Amino acid sequence: EAKELVTSRMPKTERKVLLAAADVYRPAAIKQLEILGESIGVEVFSMGTDADPAEIARLALEKATNEGFDTLIVDTAGRQVVDADLMDELRRMKAAVNPSETLLVVDAMTGQEAASLTAAFDEAVGITGAILTKLDGDSRGGAAVSVRGVSGKPIKFVGTGEKTPDLEPFYPDRMASRILGQGDVISLVEKAAALSSDAEAEEMAKKMLEAKFDFEDFLKQSEMMNQMGSMASVAKMMPGMAGMMDDNQMSAAEKRLKKSKSLILSMTKKERQNPDIFIKDKTGPSRTRRVSKGAGLKTKDGEQFIQEFQTMRTMMSRMQKKMQAANDSGQDPNEMSPEDQLMASGNRAQRRAMKKKKKKQGGTSRGFG
């Protein structure tokens, strides 16, 4: 069981879904939906660009009913303004399929306008909620507050990136935490848990504790982070990180990560599994030069990465030991005394000094006072 992904043990709603391509106006809209459907294993119903959208919706429902689909999603044309003809088209489509949900997809970057648009569409057509996209941008979810307050309609889903997994259910309390810059640890943990098994997580924790985290582990974690979304969206879920790095800094960090990956991919398997060979072995400098050249980078880039990796590995080990010591004692890691934190860390010199100090204090307190 430990080898299974955490999500494989979570309750799921298994549905047979059919997508209907009813956006006949935007160039390549149907093709884009077909590509999306293929990538996620969902069938797409299409009648081309000359068909009437209401007829497409009606026939899609007929197909879904006859072939055992239990969910039909009709993709309609985008609308930036409340146009009378397009609104009439939407009303005809609603009458044709009688949907249980009518959701308006709104760009969160439009801010207050997103709320006004939602209210206008609800008045013209009648919607049950909204989906906010681009919440990984500078808006930081301010539009989410506006949509609910102005339109009175709930937000059902939010998009925090360009990939399918970046579409997630909307939780008001978590969004409030992000807006205030306090992060969203629950969503972060859920995303990470969906990508690793219990056994993998335990093995990684053990490697961190023993300072055996290697370059292959670094690659795995980088790939996991990439699947969780953009660096900006992940950073905003981490308490204290939101607002600390602007878009330029995020972009620079992502470029450095790509450089790091190219350096690791230029290493041999032995080098990836044994980072110390670059520091403790006499062949280290020549290896660094070769790896840097293979990655198309300067030697100093390779040297800097190796040094930063060793520092990171040491810090991870100390943090893991601190957390383990806190768990063993039932304490919150942040509430541990400086002495206990030092004892839990990996700095031997400081631990010895602390032991001597305690021993000396213990010697002066002997006797009956």
Side-chain angles (χ1 to χ4, degrees), residues 200-233:
E200 288 172 337
E202 185 177 343
E203 177 65 22
M204 192 61 65
K206 183 179 178 182
K207 282 193 169 186
M208 289 180 182
L209 178 64
E210 298 174 354
K212 292 181 178 179
F213 185 83
D214 59 31
F215 292 121
E216 289 191 340
D217 297 322
F218 183 91
L219 276 181
K220 289 178 185 177
Q221 295 299 304
S222 298
E223 182 58 32
M224 183 186 295
M225 183 174 174
N226 187 48
Q227 293 179 41
M228 288 170 64
S230 67
M231 186 174 288
S233 64

Short mmCIF file of all heavy atoms in Angstrom, two decimals, residues 200-233:
data_model
loop_
_atom_site.label_atom_id
_atom_site.label_comp_id
_atom_site.label_asym_id
_atom_site.label_seq_id
_atom_site.Cartn_x
_atom_site.Cartn_y
_atom_site.Cartn_z
N GLU A 200 8.06 6.61 -0.94
CA GLU A 200 8.99 7.58 -1.53
C GLU A 200 9.25 8.74 -0.58
O GLU A 200 10.38 9.21 -0.45
CB GLU A 200 8.43 8.09 -2.86
CG GLU A 200 8.47 7.06 -3.98
CD GLU A 200 7.73 7.51 -5.21
OE1 GLU A 200 6.83 8.37 -5.09
OE2 GLU A 200 8.02 6.99 -6.30
N ALA A 201 8.18 9.22 0.07
CA ALA A 201 8.32 10.33 1.01
C ALA A 201 9.20 9.93 2.19
O ALA A 201 10.05 10.70 2.65
CB ALA A 201 6.95 10.79 1.49
N GLU A 202 9.01 8.70 2.68
CA GLU A 202 9.80 8.21 3.81
C GLU A 202 11.27 8.06 3.43
O GLU A 202 12.16 8.41 4.19
CB GLU A 202 9.24 6.87 4.28
CG GLU A 202 9.90 6.32 5.53
CD GLU A 202 9.27 5.03 6.01
OE1 GLU A 202 8.15 4.71 5.58
OE2 GLU A 202 9.91 4.33 6.82
N GLU A 203 11.51 7.55 2.23
CA GLU A 203 12.88 7.37 1.75
C GLU A 203 13.58 8.72 1.58
O GLU A 203 14.75 8.88 1.93
CB GLU A 203 12.87 6.62 0.42
CG GLU A 203 14.24 6.43 -0.22
CD GLU A 203 15.18 5.56 0.61
OE1 GLU A 203 14.68 4.77 1.44
OE2 GLU A 203 16.41 5.68 0.43
N MET A 204 12.84 9.71 1.06
CA MET A 204 13.42 11.04 0.87
C MET A 204 13.75 11.68 2.21
O MET A 204 14.80 12.32 2.37
CB MET A 204 12.44 11.91 0.08
CG MET A 204 13.03 13.21 -0.42
SD MET A 204 14.41 12.96 -1.56
CE MET A 204 13.58 12.17 -2.92
N ALA A 205 12.86 11.53 3.19
CA ALA A 205 13.11 12.09 4.53
C ALA A 205 14.35 11.46 5.16
O ALA A 205 15.15 12.15 5.81
CB ALA A 205 11.89 11.86 5.42
N LYS A 206 14.51 10.16 4.95
CA LYS A 206 15.69 9.46 5.48
C LYS A 206 16.97 9.99 4.86
O LYS A 206 17.97 10.21 5.53
CB LYS A 206 15.55 7.96 5.24
CG LYS A 206 16.69 7.13 5.82
CD LYS A 206 16.48 5.64 5.55
CE LYS A 206 17.64 4.82 6.10
NZ LYS A 206 17.47 3.38 5.80
N LYS A 207 16.94 10.21 3.54
CA LYS A 207 18.12 10.74 2.85
C LYS A 207 18.46 12.15 3.33
O LYS A 207 19.63 12.50 3.48
CB LYS A 207 17.87 10.75 1.34
CG LYS A 207 18.01 9.40 0.67
CD LYS A 207 18.07 9.54 -0.84
CE LYS A 207 18.47 8.23 -1.50
NZ LYS A 207 18.68 8.40 -2.96
N MET A 208 17.44 12.95 3.54
CA MET A 208 17.67 14.32 4.03
C MET A 208 18.29 14.28 5.42
O MET A 208 19.21 15.04 5.74
CB MET A 208 16.35 15.09 4.07
CG MET A 208 15.80 15.45 2.70
SD MET A 208 14.23 16.36 2.82
CE MET A 208 13.82 16.58 1.10
N LEU A 209 17.77 13.39 6.28
CA LEU A 209 18.26 13.28 7.66
C LEU A 209 19.73 12.88 7.69
O LEU A 209 20.51 13.40 8.49
CB LEU A 209 17.41 12.25 8.41
CG LEU A 209 17.80 11.97 9.86
CD1 LEU A 209 17.63 13.22 10.70
CD2 LEU A 209 16.96 10.83 10.43
N GLU A 210 20.10 11.98 6.80
CA GLU A 210 21.47 11.46 6.79
C GLU A 210 22.38 12.23 5.83
O GLU A 210 23.52 11.81 5.61
CB GLU A 210 21.44 9.98 6.40
CG GLU A 210 20.66 9.12 7.39
CD GLU A 210 20.51 7.68 6.91
OE1 GLU A 210 20.93 7.39 5.76
OE2 GLU A 210 19.98 6.86 7.68
N ALA A 211 21.89 13.33 5.29
CA ALA A 211 22.66 14.16 4.35
C ALA A 211 23.12 13.33 3.15
O ALA A 211 24.24 13.49 2.66
CB ALA A 211 23.85 14.82 5.05
N LYS A 212 22.25 12.44 2.68
CA LYS A 212 22.57 11.62 1.52
C LYS A 212 21.73 11.99 0.30
O LYS A 212 21.66 11.26 -0.67
CB LYS A 212 22.35 10.14 1.86
CG LYS A 212 23.35 9.60 2.87
CD LYS A 212 23.11 8.12 3.16
CE LYS A 212 24.14 7.59 4.14
NZ LYS A 212 23.92 6.14 4.46
N PHE A 213 21.10 13.14 0.38
CA PHE A 213 20.31 13.68 -0.72
C PHE A 213 21.26 13.92 -1.90
O PHE A 213 22.21 14.68 -1.79
CB PHE A 213 19.65 14.98 -0.27
CG PHE A 213 18.71 15.61 -1.25
CD1 PHE A 213 17.39 15.17 -1.35
CD2 PHE A 213 19.12 16.64 -2.08
CE1 PHE A 213 16.51 15.76 -2.24
CE2 PHE A 213 18.25 17.23 -2.97
CZ PHE A 213 16.95 16.79 -3.05
N ASP A 214 21.02 13.27 -3.04
CA ASP A 214 21.95 13.39 -4.15
C ASP A 214 21.34 14.13 -5.34
O ASP A 214 20.20 14.61 -5.28
CB ASP A 214 22.48 12.01 -4.58
CG ASP A 214 21.37 11.06 -5.02
OD1 ASP A 214 20.36 11.53 -5.55
OD2 ASP A 214 21.52 9.84 -4.83
N PHE A 215 22.09 14.22 -6.44
CA PHE A 215 21.64 14.98 -7.61
C PHE A 215 20.43 14.34 -8.28
O PHE A 215 19.60 15.03 -8.85
CB PHE A 215 22.79 15.13 -8.61
CG PHE A 215 23.90 16.01 -8.12
CD1 PHE A 215 25.19 15.52 -8.00
CD2 PHE A 215 23.67 17.33 -7.78
CE1 PHE A 215 26.22 16.32 -7.55
CE2 PHE A 215 24.69 18.15 -7.33
CZ PHE A 215 25.97 17.65 -7.21
N GLU A 216 20.33 13.01 -8.22
CA GLU A 216 19.17 12.35 -8.80
C GLU A 216 17.91 12.68 -8.01
O GLU A 216 16.83 12.86 -8.58
CB GLU A 216 19.39 10.83 -8.85
CG GLU A 216 20.43 10.42 -9.90
CD GLU A 216 20.45 8.92 -10.14
OE1 GLU A 216 19.97 8.17 -9.27
OE2 GLU A 216 20.97 8.52 -11.20
N ASP A 217 18.06 12.79 -6.69
CA ASP A 217 16.93 13.21 -5.85
C ASP A 217 16.53 14.64 -6.18
O ASP A 217 15.34 14.97 -6.21
CB ASP A 217 17.31 13.10 -4.36
CG ASP A 217 17.61 11.68 -3.94
OD1 ASP A 217 16.93 10.77 -4.41
OD2 ASP A 217 18.56 11.49 -3.15
N PHE A 218 17.54 15.47 -6.43
CA PHE A 218 17.29 16.86 -6.79
C PHE A 218 16.45 16.93 -8.07
O PHE A 218 15.51 17.71 -8.18
CB PHE A 218 18.62 17.59 -6.98
CG PHE A 218 18.48 19.06 -7.30
CD1 PHE A 218 18.45 20.01 -6.30
CD2 PHE A 218 18.39 19.49 -8.62
CE1 PHE A 218 18.33 21.36 -6.59
CE2 PHE A 218 18.27 20.84 -8.93
CZ PHE A 218 18.24 21.78 -7.90
N LEU A 219 16.81 16.09 -9.06
CA LEU A 219 16.06 16.06 -10.32
C LEU A 219 14.61 15.62 -10.09
O LEU A 219 13.68 16.20 -10.66
CB LEU A 219 16.73 15.11 -11.31
CG LEU A 219 17.90 15.66 -12.14
CD1 LEU A 219 18.41 14.57 -13.08
CD2 LEU A 219 17.49 16.88 -12.94
N LYS A 220 14.43 14.60 -9.25
CA LYS A 220 13.08 14.11 -8.96
C LYS A 220 12.23 15.20 -8.30
O LYS A 220 11.06 15.39 -8.66
CB LYS A 220 13.15 12.89 -8.03
CG LYS A 220 13.70 11.63 -8.69
CD LYS A 220 13.77 10.49 -7.69
CE LYS A 220 14.43 9.26 -8.29
NZ LYS A 220 14.57 8.17 -7.29
N GLN A 221 12.82 15.89 -7.33
CA GLN A 221 12.09 16.95 -6.65
C GLN A 221 11.78 18.11 -7.58
O GLN A 221 10.71 18.72 -7.50
CB GLN A 221 12.90 17.44 -5.44
CG GLN A 221 13.10 16.41 -4.34
CD GLN A 221 11.79 15.93 -3.75
OE1 GLN A 221 11.00 16.71 -3.27
NE2 GLN A 221 11.56 14.63 -3.79
N SER A 222 12.71 18.41 -8.48
CA SER A 222 12.50 19.50 -9.44
C SER A 222 11.35 19.16 -10.38
O SER A 222 10.51 20.00 -10.70
CB SER A 222 13.77 19.75 -10.25
OG SER A 222 14.83 20.15 -9.41
N GLU A 223 11.32 17.89 -10.82
CA GLU A 223 10.25 17.45 -11.72
C GLU A 223 8.91 17.47 -11.00
O GLU A 223 7.88 17.85 -11.57
CB GLU A 223 10.55 16.04 -12.23
CG GLU A 223 9.52 15.50 -13.20
CD GLU A 223 9.34 16.36 -14.43
OE1 GLU A 223 10.32 17.00 -14.87
OE2 GLU A 223 8.21 16.39 -14.96
N MET A 224 8.91 17.08 -9.71
CA MET A 224 7.69 17.12 -8.92
C MET A 224 7.18 18.54 -8.79
O MET A 224 5.99 18.82 -8.93
CB MET A 224 7.92 16.51 -7.54
CG MET A 224 6.67 16.45 -6.68
SD MET A 224 6.99 15.90 -4.98
CE MET A 224 7.55 14.24 -5.29
N MET A 225 8.10 19.46 -8.53
CA MET A 225 7.73 20.87 -8.39
C MET A 225 7.16 21.40 -9.70
O MET A 225 6.21 22.18 -9.72
CB MET A 225 8.96 21.68 -7.97
CG MET A 225 8.67 23.15 -7.73
SD MET A 225 10.12 24.02 -7.09
CE MET A 225 9.50 25.71 -7.07
N ASN A 226 7.75 20.96 -10.81
CA ASN A 226 7.29 21.39 -12.13
C ASN A 226 5.85 20.91 -12.36
O ASN A 226 5.04 21.64 -12.95
CB ASN A 226 8.21 20.82 -13.21
CG ASN A 226 7.88 21.36 -14.58
OD1 ASN A 226 7.71 22.55 -14.78
ND2 ASN A 226 7.77 20.46 -15.55
N GLN A 227 5.53 19.71 -11.89
CA GLN A 227 4.18 19.17 -12.05
C GLN A 227 3.19 19.87 -11.12
O GLN A 227 1.98 19.86 -11.37
CB GLN A 227 4.18 17.67 -11.77
CG GLN A 227 4.95 16.86 -12.80
CD GLN A 227 4.94 15.38 -12.48
OE1 GLN A 227 3.93 14.82 -12.07
NE2 GLN A 227 6.08 14.73 -12.65
N MET A 228 3.68 20.47 -10.05
CA MET A 228 2.81 21.16 -9.11
C MET A 228 2.39 22.53 -9.62
O MET A 228 1.47 23.15 -9.10
CB MET A 228 3.52 21.31 -7.76
CG MET A 228 3.63 20.02 -6.99
SD MET A 228 4.72 20.16 -5.54
CE MET A 228 3.83 21.35 -4.55
N GLY A 229 3.05 23.02 -10.66
CA GLY A 229 2.72 24.33 -11.22
C GLY A 229 3.96 25.19 -11.36
O GLY A 229 5.09 24.73 -11.19
N SER A 230 3.74 26.45 -11.68
CA SER A 230 4.86 27.37 -11.83
C SER A 230 5.51 27.64 -10.48
O SER A 230 4.89 27.45 -9.43
CB SER A 230 4.39 28.69 -12.44
OG SER A 230 3.53 29.37 -11.54
N MET A 231 6.77 28.09 -10.51
CA MET A 231 7.47 28.40 -9.28
C MET A 231 6.75 29.49 -8.51
O MET A 231 6.69 29.47 -7.27
CB MET A 231 8.91 28.83 -9.59
CG MET A 231 9.76 29.04 -8.36
SD MET A 231 11.49 29.37 -8.73
CE MET A 231 12.05 27.76 -9.28
N ALA A 232 6.16 30.44 -9.24
CA ALA A 232 5.44 31.54 -8.59
C ALA A 232 4.23 31.02 -7.82
O ALA A 232 3.98 31.43 -6.68
CB ALA A 232 5.01 32.57 -9.63
N SER A 233 3.46 30.10 -8.45
CA SER A 233 2.26 29.59 -7.78
C SER A 233 2.61 28.75 -6.56
O SER A 233 1.92 28.80 -5.55
CB SER A 233 1.42 28.76 -8.76
OG SER A 233 2.12 27.61 -9.19
#
